[in-house]
Amino acid sequence: MVVRMAQYTIDVEDLDVMVAFWSAALGYEVEQGDDGSAKLWPPEQSSAAAPTIWLQGSGTAKQGKNRVHLDLVTDTDPQAEVRRLVDLGARHVDVGQTGNERFTVLADPEGNEFCVLDGPPTR
């Protein structure tokens, strides 16, 4: 038996800011609850394996480096996508890159690191 990733959960301090960023970044649909959280659903044309994103209101700021992060890939120019994400509120961060990586490290508006890969993962 194996499992697959169904949902990625991010603790957030400002739910509205994070809903706006991640829904625009991923093109996901928003379902916001009354409990200080929101679920982001993949577009209908997505693969059944596409995970949902759960933004869980924590009321506290992020502390330290992420132990787990998203690696994103695009069908278009990765650097154009990086610029689009920065325009949405992401920022470049240094986590010790050498400059030879095949990805760009960014952080969302609350400082959660994620990467934009230059291409899909390969074996």
Side-chain angles (χ1 to χ4, degrees):
M1 176 178 258
V2 298
V3 296
R4 66 176 178 83
M5 188 175 77
Q7 180 168 278
Y8 191 81
T9 302
I10 304 172
D11 287 347
V12 302
E13 183 175 13
D14 188 326
L15 184 65
D16 293 334
V17 166
M18 296 297 277
V19 163
F21 176 78
W22 282 109
S23 64
L26 299 172
Y28 276 31
E29 298 174 30
V30 177
E31 180 182 313
Q32 196 156 338
D34 296 340
D35 61 353
S37 66
K39 184 165 277 192
L40 305 182
W41 296 94
E44 290 201 20
Q45 70 274 17
S46 298
S47 159
T52 59
I53 304 292
W54 180 256
L55 300 176
Q56 180 173 274
S58 68
T60 60
K62 175 187 175 282
Q63 297 178 11
K65 184 182 180 304
N66 294 10
R67 300 268 318 243
V68 175
H69 68 268
L70 291 169
D71 283 340
L72 306 178
V73 66
T74 181
D75 294 335
T76 62
D77 173 33
Q79 290 312 306
E81 187 60 22
V82 166
R83 288 188 297 276
R84 185 184 77 86
L85 293 166
V86 168
D87 288 345
L88 288 172
R91 61 185 169 80
H92 290 268
V93 293
D94 182 355
V95 295
Q97 303 94 300
T98 65
N100 296 319
E101 293 80 11
R102 295 187 29 88
F103 55 84
T104 301
V105 182
L106 299 174
D108 69 18
E110 290 192 357
N112 300 297
E113 297 91 358
F114 64 97
C115 295
V116 176
L117 306 179
D118 290 349
T122 59
R123 289 185 172 242

